[in-house]
Amino acid sequence: MPVQVTKIKVEGQIAWIVAKSKSGRFIAVCKPLALTMEGDTLDELYARINDGIQLLMLDLMESGELDSFLRKRGWKHSPVKARKLGKIEFDVPIELLIRSGRDKARTLLQ
């Protein structure tokens, strides 16, 4: 029997500032979510960002804090029916803002 997936769309653009470290890894910081991710390639970084967002949103949903968390940032999500949800996936639009080569990855954390 296939697992039913419920998609929850978050309405709001979430920007990540990306820079390359001296070691060549990509580092991304999202201040509104208080998350930092890194990857060897932009594809790997994007996948890790998505995984991090999924875990954060699911944790917020399970703790009952999702609505207030999104509201404080001016975001909202699509309505969710009160039935058994099965697997939940969050559809969160992200934007990668790539800093130029002369910007240091260390400055992202300031």
Side-chain angles (χ1 to χ4, degrees):
M1 179 177 213
V3 175
Q4 181 169 348
V5 176
T6 300
K7 284 205 178 232
I8 300 174
K9 181 169 179 51
V10 174
E11 298 172 19
Q13 188 77 14
I14 301 176
W16 289 75
I17 301 170
V18 179
K20 208 167 190 182
S21 70
K22 286 183 180 182
S23 67
R25 291 180 60 86
F26 290 95
I27 299 175
V29 173
C30 181
K31 290 185 181 182
L33 297 180
L35 292 175
T36 302
M37 299 291 173
E38 64 179 277
D40 290 326
T41 65
L42 283 175
D43 287 339
E44 181 182 350
L45 177 65
Y46 188 84
R48 288 187 176 185
I49 287 171
N50 187 51
D51 289 346
I53 289 172
Q54 297 300 315
L55 291 171
L56 173 66
M57 296 292 171
L58 188 57
D59 185 56
L60 289 167
M61 184 177 209
E62 289 175 352
S63 68
E65 300 172 83
L66 180 63
D67 290 334
S68 65
F69 179 86
L70 295 176
R71 195 173 29 256
K72 285 179 187 174
R73 288 152 182 83
W75 306 327
K76 58 184 177 177
H77 62 79
S78 57
V80 179
K81 296 181 179 153
R83 59 180 169 72
K84 191 170 184 172
L85 296 176
K87 182 179 179 190
I88 297 172
E89 288 182 5
F90 290 89
D91 179 8
V92 181
I94 66 167
E95 179 180 18
L96 298 181
L97 304 173
I98 309 222
R99 292 249 175 122
S100 68
R102 63 177 179 244
D103 292 329
K104 301 285 186 223
R106 184 180 316 230
T107 64
L108 297 177
L109 303 175
Q110 299 174 348

